[in-house]
Amino acid sequence: MASPSAQSKNMKKLMEMAIVIGGGTVFYGIYAVYSGNEKMYTNVVMPVVKLLDAETAHNFAVKAAKYKLVPRPRVPDPACLQTRVWDREFSNPIGLAAGFDKHGEAVDGLLKMGFGFVEVGSVTPLKQPGNEKPRVFRLLEDEGIINRYGFNSDGHDTVYSRLKFRESEPRVGAKGCMGVNLGKNKLSAYPVDDYVQGVKKFGKVADYLVVNISSPNTPGLREMQGREQLENLIHVVSLERNKLRLTRKPPLLVKIAPDLSDKDKEDIAAVVTKDNRVDGLVISNTTVSRPHSLQSLNKSEVGGLSGSPLKDLATTTIHDMYRLTEGKLPIIGVGGISSGKDAYEKIKAGACLVQIYTALIYQGPPVIARIKRELGELIRKDGYTSVEEAVGVDHKKKS
Ligand SMILES: Cc1cc2nc3c(=O)[nH]c(=O)nc-3n(C[C@H](O)[C@H](O)[C@H](O)COP(=O)(O)O)c2cc1C
């Protein structure tokens, strides 16, 4: 039997070993998280995040991006993913959809994660709280989310104060592009005026502006997609954009729903292609439909459904709108993208840029690098040298 002094020496050695191993593990863990290690996120980080309720997890992720505690891409973007839209350069066509950085808190951190562009918002003119909590629900079995946030917004002034530093910067190139998505206040008496105010406020700082008339959680909003209302809205808002005293005026986009009839789509196409007032479409927002395939108990929550169950509906809407607008308007394709293959489907249907949201919630930041890698491989495999060559090819095959 060892003497008491030998025993205490052994104990000390064991403690030292435990500290070295424990410290090494923690250090490796931090390194793996920071370097965007996919396995670390799949097996450790995301399961822990899912223990939090969906809104808390969302707020936590925004704060991490705000303080730039985010993984950075380890490889540069493949050359074939570089693209130019509206005279703006994108180092890759994968963007972050509206609704993640609603208040413009974390644009730089999110661009550093490897997105080609980030869309802030939706922002409403006046600060408003949105709907009562809980208002975000994971549909784990379906890889979907239902949200009824209802445009919780810090309001134009506060969001603008966070973004105004971009006024003095060149907004293209290495730092990536930033769009601002405009909404309306729930109790607004003059909804058109809310969008006009948005154009005036953010025209100087945004690389593009989005008129969002497709969120399902603001009463009356989707009716603005109807022909007469849309015509009036686009007329007034585009005049305001044209009045901006800027050499590079921001392109004006309209974000539409996936729940549209053929007639609705024809009407929208007629309005947005008239007189060069609109520069692009974002397709699509969340759906109010509930596919029969849904498994999760949360499927009966009220709100907009996103993620995998939305994928095909969004792609069909992109396909239809590309055809109806004769490929003349750039389309940002969004809805259920979680792989390079999904992104490529949207591009072939007519999107020149794409966005993700729900996949980021489920897979974490490594999904960005994976989508870029897989998309680059698919583009090269089909013999294209640039993503631009693949835009809308589904339509060319048929004609
Ligand atoms: C929690 C949540 C909040 C959202 N908030 C907004 C919003 O404020 N404005 C908007 O235009 N779209 C919003 N969206 C819709 C997304 O921008 C996107 O169009 C939709 O989620 C489909 O993409 P996904 O399937 O990749 O999530 C939100 C989506 C989610 C999941």
Side-chain angles (χ1 to χ4, degrees):
M1 187 139 166
S3 67
S5 80
Q7 268 184 8
S8 109
K9 262 191 193 162
N10 284 343
M11 201 57 195
K12 207 172 150 204
K13 269 195 182 156
L14 271 174
M15 292 280 285
E16 279 169 5
M17 272 171 66
I19 288 169
V20 171
I21 293 169
T25 310
V26 169
F27 185 76
Y28 173 75
I30 291 172
Y31 171 77
V33 169
Y34 200 63
S35 65
N37 180 299
E38 212 169 336
K39 275 194 187 143
M40 185 71 174
Y41 275 86
T42 310
N43 299 327
V44 182
V45 180
M46 299 320 288
V48 171
V49 170
K50 278 178 202 150
L51 296 175
L52 302 171
D53 81 80
E55 184 162 348
T56 308
H58 174 198
N59 293 336
F60 177 75
V62 174
K63 292 290 175 270
K66 176 178 173 176
Y67 295 109
K68 304 200 174 73
L69 300 170
V70 290
R72 321 276 159 117
R74 279 179 294 176
V75 291
D77 290 341
C80 68
L81 294 191
Q82 273 175 28
T83 186
R84 199 176 170 80
V85 188
W86 308 296
D87 213 15
R88 270 122 175 110
E89 298 285 348
F90 296 78
S91 73
N92 73 75
I94 318 295
L96 177 61
F100 186 87
D101 189 7
K102 279 179 181 278
H103 317 299
E105 296 170 271
V107 178
D108 276 355
L110 292 164
L111 289 171
K112 282 199 164 66
M113 270 162 63
F115 284 114
F117 63 109
V118 168
E119 192 171 310
V120 165
S122 297
V123 194
T124 59
L126 302 174
K127 186 179 166 80
Q128 65 174 25
N131 291 325
E132 261 177 45
K133 296 178 190 175
R135 51 193 179 176
V136 197
F137 306 88
R138 295 187 189 94
L139 280 68
L140 289 174
E141 295 84 348
D142 308 295
E143 288 191 29
I145 289 180
I146 291 178
N147 92 83
R148 51 169 180 269
Y149 266 116
F151 285 169
N152 54 316
S153 176
D154 283 355
H156 281 179
D157 288 347
T158 304
V159 175
Y160 176 74
S161 71
R162 294 185 185 124
L163 304 178
K164 69 174 179 217
F165 74 95
R166 292 180 70 88
E167 260 181 47
S168 53
E169 282 187 6
R171 295 200 303 268
V172 288
K175 287 201 168 159
C177 292
M178 180 195 73
V180 177
N181 178 306
L182 307 172
K184 75 161 196 82
N185 278 115
K186 185 176 179 183
L187 300 176
S188 170
Y190 304 103
V192 172
D193 195 48
D194 284 20
Y195 294 98
V196 166
Q197 287 183 47
V199 171
K200 283 184 181 162
K201 194 84 195 180
F202 295 101
K204 278 185 284 211
V205 293
D207 290 302
Y208 68 90
L209 292 169
V210 180
V211 174
N212 175 17
I213 43 173
S214 49
S215 288
N217 305 309
T218 294
L221 191 78
R222 284 188 165 195
E223 271 101 85
M224 294 180 87
Q225 296 175 115
R227 187 160 188 156
E228 257 175 53
Q229 286 208 46
L230 186 62
E231 171 59 42
N232 178 43
L233 174 69
I234 296 305
H235 175 71
V236 176
V237 169
S238 63
L239 277 180
E240 207 57 48
R241 187 271 314 266
N242 296 345
K243 272 196 235 160
L244 291 170
R245 290 212 195 108
L246 295 168
T247 37
R248 280 160 60 97
K249 298 189 205 302
L252 195 64
L253 282 70
V254 178
K255 183 164 180 177
I256 62 171
D259 311 310
L260 298 166
S261 67
D262 288 346
K263 170 83 169 61
D264 294 335
K265 290 178 199 171
E266 281 164 24
D267 285 350
I268 291 172
V271 175
V272 296
T273 48
K274 190 175 138 193
D275 298 338
N276 300 319
R277 300 171 299 179
V278 171
D279 304 288
L281 293 168
V282 184
I283 309 174
S284 73
N285 217 310
T286 54
T287 176
V288 290
S289 72
R290 295 291 181 265
H292 292 301
S293 59
L294 292 180
Q295 304 289 316
S296 315
L297 286 178
N298 279 339
K299 68 182 177 188
S300 41
E301 290 293 343
V302 171
L305 172 66
S306 59
S308 291
L310 169 65
K311 190 174 75 180
D312 292 344
L313 193 57
T315 308
T316 304
T317 313
I318 292 165
H319 193 279
D320 291 350
M321 293 310 293
Y322 184 91
R323 179 176 48 80
L324 290 165
T325 56
E326 296 169 4
K328 286 179 189 150
L329 286 183
I331 292 173
I332 300 181
V334 50
I337 296 174
S338 70
S339 67
K341 181 174 163 285
D342 299 339
Y344 198 37
E345 269 169 27
K346 296 270 192 287
I347 290 165
K348 288 192 291 183
C352 55
L353 298 167
V354 296
Q355 293 175 325
I356 63 167
Y357 187 155
T358 303
L360 183 68
I361 303 300
Y362 276 94
Q363 299 180 40
V367 72
I368 309 163
R370 188 165 58 75
I371 293 178
K372 289 194 284 189
R373 190 184 66 240
E374 291 172 354
L375 180 61
E377 284 165 9
L378 288 165
I379 284 169
R380 284 189 295 264
K381 192 170 143 252
D382 281 352
Y384 302 121
T385 53
S386 153
V387 62
E388 287 167 21
E389 294 165 12
V391 174
V393 291
D394 279 354
H395 300 264
K396 288 165 198 152
K397 272 185 226 153
K398 274 168 212 155
S399 57

